[in-house]
Amino acid sequence: MLVIKDLAVKFPSRFGDFTAIEDVDMVIRPGEIHGLVGESGAGKSTVGAAVIGLLSSPGYIAGGEISLGDTDLRTLTPSEAHAVRGDRISMIFQDPQTSLNPLMTIEDQLIETIQAHSDVTHAEALKRAVDLLEEIGIKDAAKRIKAYPHQFSGGMRQRVVIALAICTDPELIIADEPTTALDVAVQSQVLDLIKRLARDRDIAFMLITHDIGVIAQVADRVTVMRHGKVMESGETRQVLGAPEHPYTRALMDAVPPLDRRIDRFRVPEEAPIAGDGPTGNLAEDWLLEGQRSDLLGLKLTDLTVTFAAPRTSIFRKPDPYVALDNVSLTVRPGTIMGLVGESGSGKSTLAKAITGLVSPASGEMRLGDAELPYGKTRSRYHPSRQLIQMVFQDPYSSLNSRHRIGDILEEPLWFYGFVTERAERRRLAAAMLELVGMAPDAIDKYPHQFSGGQRQRIAVARALLARPRFLICDEPTSALDVSIQAEILNLLKDLQSTFGLTILFISHNLAVVRQMADDTAVLRAGRIEEVSSTENLYENPQADYTRSLLSLTPVMPKDWVARGS
Amino acid sequence: MVYFILKRLVQSVFVMLAVAFLAFSLFRFVGDPVSQMTGVETSVADQEKLRDDLGLNDPFVVQFYRFTTDLLQGDFGFSYRTRQPVADMIADRIPATLELGIVALLISLIVGIPAGVYTALRPRGVATQAILMTTLVGVSIPTFVIGIMLIFIFGVQLGWLPTFGRSGTVQIGGWESSLFTIEGWRSLLLPAITLGVYQLTLTMRLVRAEMMEVMRSDYIRFGMARGVPMGRLHYRHALANTMVPVITIIGLQFGGVIAFSIVTESVFQWPGMGLLFLESIRFVDIPVMGVYLVVIAFFFVLVNLVVDLLYVAIDPRLRVRDV
């Protein structure tokens, strides 16, 4: 049993100690899955790192107690603590792609871990490792164990990671976002596995995640954290179904539901949107002036995109990898088309083909009445380069970190020749910032001075300043916390209805797409499985694949609902 | 895999062709071989005859073809200066330079890699700071100054080691080696250290930077979280991953060590290819210079090929696809 009392962790810095977490209390019993939720920076991972004794330098435990069973974890010497790691406490990391050593076989990594904690021969360790892999759902384990990590798929790798974590029979496993990097189908298998292990082996799990759906599905108890403090703690159903703390309630409001559409998310402290001030009106008027032309739709016919596969022989040309296979899709003018699918299904390739970053092998793309030339044959000055704009997934890498926000925003204005006068461009950029809910003084700052949500607003502003008629949003909120996600989704909805944009909204998150899209298309392995109006698709899915996606997405059970809206 | 190596081989052929072309251009456009070979008293008619006999009036392409095919058959021509075949001159000098280069490389690896690992694992230690400062001085001082300083300290002041030349050589087949006698090693030590110092600092800093990066990676953190012994984590997990990028640079640098041994060889009067090259420059001995160019390029290509093979040996992602 893990008991944490009044735990505080501090990071010394030039400006005095920064308190990462304080007054954290938690009890995890054997066999219990204890969810730890909160947004980024809430200190969830710090709690896990403090328990396993791997706080990143220079952080230190400033006070409180951590004990596992009878052992006081704070009084251990470094070598004792290292002996406890793996033996009694283990950990599962977020990304199975990076948490295994790429240069060693699974066998070597498993056996060294087993032998590090128990005095067994190589053969015994091997047998135990094979049995464990079988138990965890890797078929033909005796053979597969000889493989290197890169030879396993993402889901299989996470199983191997779990096998490594449990191969020494620990009492406690800290799982830090164990399914965040996985597709829903794989996620549900991994969650089932965690549930089974907790039940059968009586392992206590600390499940750190930002995904309320995941917590609702597997956690017995949950602790909600914010700014390094515990907001609320208790039985999962109690905390999520009838949240007492205002923060928990706000958090629950921001989670997009899968089973119905809500018009707007209720966001506390929401920044004013859509220019109340005179400057915001300037941007609004300028945009509306550009929207006098008709709404533009997009029509894709039999679009096929292939990539050359790596060559392995001189004599045989390898079969190309088909990323998109005869995709036909119509985005009606002035609507939002949602595009969902798992990783590798071709969602982003589709966006790249439309924007001319990737050249299709065949098929036709039409924006309004005009045909879009393929990839490199599309000239730099083709009108579609202005009419189609994009908002990318990662706001940290999609803004040039060496340019001021003003320069970033003014670029489309002079590039497309909208505004020739420099002062006027600047005024418009400031007005646009206000329109997307940012303070106009942001114009002189650099991207790193803003949070992810603010950066995404800047990215939206940049896209709008090109006066687009067609906006592609490629996973615009998947790098953001739920409350920030809610704000960005609200913003996109407002802008779309005010300016009559046509939007292709790409996401792997079905709940988000349900809130945003008028129509939804489901993509799988480069083929469209199903297209329909969003309500119809979610209420009455036709394709088996859509049904399984919907059923596997973790949600809160319906009978828990005590949501405010 | 096989395809990968074949591709590299084909690329190497093109690199060698390009270098051969450069070397040939030296012959063709730098100076006039006939006027260098003949005295003032040779008549113009005789000069023309010689020019014709040597094929210097043939079209450019024909001459280049002849040049490359001769090279391929090991016919490197004759030196203007000594009238000896260039092939023999180079073959005489290659062992000295290669032994010097390889020992320099070994010194840099044997000292550089452990020092890099040590400084990466104890980034704040006093020893680390001292090592980093010293090596910073090491890179900042030009090679010849280091050589002269070493000569002054160990050769002149302490009188422990010879200050110049190569001695104690043993003839093994066609290879004249100084690695089998104490005397040979004594004369080899100072030049090898001089040549290896820069490579050493570079290796150390590279290993340190890569190792610190790797130690922050998820799989090392995961290794710690499951209690894998620290020694094993450092030397089995982290070091192997560190070496993947380090090997590239070491390989490239080794080519450089061979090519830039010129300075060290001249400081220590080491009878290697670099010294030969310097002498050839002084006498505008173009055939030797051209062949030197080709031989050095060949080393570069060879080393890079070996690096590619090492990659494949270290990284299973290049070796095996799916099971």
Side-chain angles (χ1 to χ4, degrees):
Chain A
M1 183 162 93
L2 177 79
V3 179
I4 301 176
K5 247 194 212 141
D6 296 331
L7 182 68
V9 170
K10 290 186 177 176
F11 285 81
S13 77
R14 266 184 300 173
F15 313 106
D17 284 5
F18 164 73
T19 305
I21 54 172
E22 60 184 340
D23 300 337
V24 173
D25 295 302
M26 200 181 295
V27 174
I28 308 181
R29 291 178 186 80
E32 173 184 318
I33 300 178
H34 193 111
L36 192 54
V37 279
E39 309 201 312
S40 48
K44 319 182 286 286
S45 295
T46 309
V47 175
V51 170
I52 199 165
L54 289 177
L55 277 174
S56 57
S57 163
Y60 67 98
I61 296 177
E65 290 166 31
I66 313 173
S67 57
L68 183 65
D70 299 331
T71 317
D72 183 350
L73 295 179
R74 280 199 64 193
T75 57
L76 298 179
T77 64
S79 63
E80 284 171 346
H82 196 67
V84 167
R85 281 197 284 272
D87 192 29
R88 301 185 60 193
I89 312 175
S90 200
M91 195 157 173
I92 301 171
F93 285 81
Q94 171 173 358
D95 190 353
Q97 310 286 341
T98 59
S99 47
L100 295 171
N101 184 346
L103 304 186
M104 283 169 70
T105 59
I106 304 301
E107 179 181 359
D108 287 346
Q109 301 192 41
L110 270 165
I111 286 176
E112 72 171 6
T113 312
I114 294 172
Q115 286 190 327
H117 296 290
S118 51
D119 193 16
V120 293
T121 63
H122 189 275
E124 283 167 349
L126 178 62
K127 184 171 180 310
R128 209 149 107 192
V130 171
D131 290 348
L132 193 62
L133 288 181
E134 294 274 5
E135 183 194 334
I136 258 168
I138 291 177
K139 292 184 190 74
D140 201 6
K143 188 165 152 255
R144 298 275 285 162
I145 198 170
K146 307 268 183 229
Y148 288 94
H150 72 274
Q151 294 167 300
F152 286 85
S153 66
M156 283 297 150
R157 259 189 247 194
Q158 197 65 312
R159 281 168 198 261
V160 172
V161 169
I162 293 175
L164 277 165
I166 65 169
C167 68
T168 51
D169 275 323
E171 294 155 50
L172 170 73
I173 291 180
I174 296 162
D176 195 348
E177 305 272 5
T179 58
T180 308
L182 305 175
D183 285 325
V184 280
V186 185
Q187 164 171 286
S188 97
Q189 293 166 3
V190 170
L191 290 178
D192 282 347
L193 178 63
I194 289 179
K195 257 200 279 192
R196 207 182 79 209
L197 290 170
R199 199 181 55 224
D200 296 352
R201 290 176 167 241
D202 241 12
I203 300 173
F205 275 91
M206 181 191 289
L207 180 64
I208 299 170
T209 180
H210 66 276
D211 190 333
I212 304 274
V214 167
I215 294 283
Q217 293 257 295
V218 299
D220 302 310
R221 297 174 67 81
V222 62
T223 297
V224 183
M225 287 187 70
R226 187 193 195 191
H227 299 329
K229 293 199 179 82
V230 173
M231 296 287 115
E232 192 169 355
S233 183
E235 231 171 282
T236 308
R237 181 170 181 166
Q238 182 65 34
V239 173
L240 300 188
E244 280 174 8
H245 197 281
Y247 175 70
T248 319
R249 235 173 283 148
L251 196 65
M252 296 303 295
D253 279 342
V255 177
L258 183 66
D259 57 348
R260 71 210 139 88
R261 182 180 177 121
I262 46 181
D263 284 336
R264 277 185 75 83
F265 294 98
R266 290 197 314 177
V267 179
E269 311 147 27
E270 187 172 18
I273 287 183
D276 292 332
T279 46
N281 279 332
L282 174 77
E284 195 172 332
D285 293 346
W286 181 80
L287 274 178
L288 285 171
E289 183 191 326
Q291 315 295 25
R292 284 199 191 114
S293 56
D294 288 338
L295 301 169
L296 284 182
L298 178 82
K299 194 169 163 57
L300 307 177
T301 316
D302 295 334
L303 192 70
T304 299
V305 176
T306 58
F307 293 113
R311 201 169 182 143
T312 49
S313 152
I314 339 162
F315 306 109
R316 200 164 41 84
K317 205 172 170 172
D319 297 328
Y321 171 73
V322 182
L324 288 177
D325 190 0
N326 281 307
V327 168
S328 299
L329 189 66
T330 306
V331 185
R332 293 180 288 127
T335 64
I336 301 181
M337 165 66 85
L339 185 63
V340 295
E342 304 193 314
S343 54
S345 60
K347 307 187 295 287
S348 292
T349 307
L350 188 70
K352 285 180 188 161
I354 296 168
T355 47
L357 298 173
V358 157
S359 211
S362 63
E364 194 188 55
M365 300 179 282
R366 279 186 176 279
L367 182 69
D369 297 326
E371 186 170 350
L372 293 175
Y374 286 179
K376 282 183 181 147
T377 63
R378 194 180 303 177
S379 108
R380 286 298 309 136
Y381 302 100
H382 194 272
S384 73
R385 298 229 184 241
Q386 174 243 319
L387 292 172
I388 302 176
Q389 290 295 321
M390 203 154 164
V391 177
F392 293 89
Q393 169 172 5
D394 182 5
Y396 294 91
S397 62
S398 64
L399 300 175
N400 186 336
S401 54
R402 308 241 175 255
H403 283 192
R404 287 174 197 277
I405 302 304
D407 298 331
I408 292 171
L409 293 181
E410 285 172 42
E411 192 173 58
L413 290 176
W414 65 259
F415 181 75
Y416 296 115
F418 291 136
V419 183
T420 45
E421 209 183 317
R422 200 181 132 67
E424 179 64 21
R425 277 206 299 265
R426 209 171 163 75
R427 227 147 50 97
L428 203 54
M432 187 60 75
L433 277 175
E434 198 171 324
L435 187 71
V436 297
M438 300 269 299
D441 66 348
I443 202 158
D444 284 323
K445 294 183 180 169
Y446 286 95
H448 71 262
Q449 292 170 284
F450 297 96
S451 67
Q454 289 172 317
R455 282 187 220 205
Q456 207 59 312
R457 285 176 190 268
I458 294 166
V460 171
R462 173 176 62 181
L464 288 179
L465 281 166
R467 274 185 176 164
R469 307 311 325 268
F470 191 87
L471 197 60
I472 298 175
C473 301
D474 189 356
E475 305 264 10
T477 60
S478 38
L480 306 175
D481 284 325
V482 273
S483 62
I484 312 293
Q485 163 172 290
E487 289 175 19
I488 297 290
L489 294 181
N490 277 347
L491 173 70
L492 284 172
K493 274 190 175 187
D494 289 344
L495 294 171
Q496 194 266 341
S497 61
T498 313
F499 303 112
L501 291 167
T502 311
I503 295 181
L504 179 65
F505 190 94
I506 299 172
S507 179
H508 69 279
N509 186 328
L510 279 90
V512 167
V513 169
R514 173 151 207 183
Q515 307 312 314
M516 295 299 292
D518 300 302
D519 302 310
T520 300
V522 180
L523 200 61
R524 179 199 198 183
R527 290 166 179 275
I528 298 268
E529 287 279 322
E530 187 172 1
V531 194
S532 161
S533 80
T534 303
E535 278 314 301
N536 189 27
L537 186 126
Y538 280 77
E539 289 304 322
N540 194 10
Q542 295 303 309
D544 291 341
Y545 180 65
T546 316
R547 269 200 289 272
S548 84
L549 274 187
L550 282 169
S551 69
L552 292 174
T553 302
V555 287
M556 232 168 68
K558 278 206 178 90
D559 53 334
W560 286 11
V561 169
R563 202 183 278 268
S565 56
Chain B
M1 209 335 245
V2 179
Y3 175 74
F4 170 75
I5 291 169
L6 277 176
K7 205 167 88 182
R8 280 305 155 95
L9 277 176
V10 172
Q11 285 171 353
S12 309
V13 168
F14 278 102
V15 172
M16 287 313 296
L17 269 180
V19 174
F21 181 77
L22 272 179
F24 174 70
S25 308
L26 261 184
F27 279 101
R28 191 71 184 76
F29 302 113
V30 179
D32 177 8
V34 172
S35 66
Q36 297 211 8
M37 290 158 83
T38 55
V40 271
E41 67 274 18
T42 318
S43 72
V44 177
D46 282 351
Q47 281 192 16
E48 268 315 304
K49 188 170 173 302
L50 186 62
R51 204 177 289 275
D52 226 37
D53 288 347
L54 291 171
L56 292 175
N57 289 333
D58 291 345
F60 181 82
V61 182
V62 175
Q63 287 191 47
F64 181 53
Y65 174 76
R66 201 184 298 138
F67 176 78
T68 3
T69 44
D70 283 353
L71 274 185
L72 285 177
Q73 289 161 8
D75 179 1
F76 293 174
F78 291 87
S79 159
Y80 292 163
R81 181 167 58 97
T82 62
R83 311 284 159 184
Q84 279 179 299
V86 178
D88 292 351
M89 292 171 70
I90 298 266
D92 273 353
R93 300 295 190 108
I94 277 185
T97 295
L98 272 190
E99 284 183 358
L100 178 63
I102 288 170
V103 172
L105 179 77
L106 286 180
I107 290 176
S108 75
L109 294 185
I110 290 168
V111 181
I113 293 177
V117 171
Y118 178 85
T119 51
L121 294 182
R122 287 186 183 69
R124 275 176 245 285
V126 180
T128 299
Q129 297 307 322
I131 292 174
L132 288 179
M133 291 276 282
T134 326
T135 52
L136 192 65
V137 175
V139 249
S140 328
I141 301 177
T143 311
F144 67 91
V145 178
I146 293 179
I148 291 170
M149 273 165 46
L150 287 177
I151 290 176
F152 181 72
I153 298 173
F154 294 100
V156 181
Q157 293 287 320
L158 299 171
W160 290 352
L161 298 167
T163 54
F164 70 91
R166 186 171 188 237
S167 50
T169 53
V170 178
Q171 196 76 22
I172 298 169
W175 189 276
E176 195 186 19
S177 173
S178 62
L179 299 181
F180 295 94
T181 59
I182 304 245
E183 190 53 35
W185 274 98
R186 272 166 47 87
S187 59
L188 180 62
L189 214 50
L190 285 187
I193 290 174
T194 309
L195 189 58
V197 159
Y198 184 76
Q199 172 101 352
L200 189 159
T201 36
L202 192 85
T203 305
M204 193 204 86
R205 281 170 181 269
L206 208 64
V207 167
R208 172 179 141 89
E210 281 299 328
M211 185 94 170
M212 287 173 82
E213 190 72 38
V214 169
M215 287 307 290
R216 277 194 294 270
S217 67
D218 275 357
Y219 54 84
I220 296 296
R221 279 167 41 83
F222 186 35
M224 285 186 195
R226 54 181 208 268
V228 175
M230 290 311 267
R232 201 178 155 81
L233 263 184
H234 291 156
Y235 298 105
R236 177 86 203 263
H237 288 255
L239 192 57
N241 278 286
T242 303
M243 291 319 285
V244 175
V246 170
I247 280 178
T248 324
I249 306 294
I250 291 178
L252 283 177
Q253 281 290 311
F254 181 58
V257 164
I258 298 285
F260 301 125
S261 63
I262 294 175
V263 176
T264 310
E265 288 187 10
S266 83
V267 170
F268 289 92
Q269 287 299 300
W270 187 259
M273 286 198 299
L275 209 56
L276 176 68
F277 185 62
L278 277 185
E279 287 160 11
S280 310
I281 289 178
R282 209 171 299 146
F283 292 94
V284 202
D285 195 349
I286 290 170
V288 179
M289 285 155 68
V291 171
Y292 176 80
L293 205 64
V294 174
V295 170
I296 291 295
F298 182 70
F299 272 123
F300 265 95
V301 166
L302 202 67
V303 167
N304 274 317
L305 205 64
V306 171
V307 165
D308 285 339
L309 291 177
L310 275 178
Y311 262 172
V312 177
I314 289 188
D315 197 335
R317 283 166 291 190
L318 298 171
R319 224 181 311 140
V320 270
R321 296 231 168 265
D322 287 299
V323 277

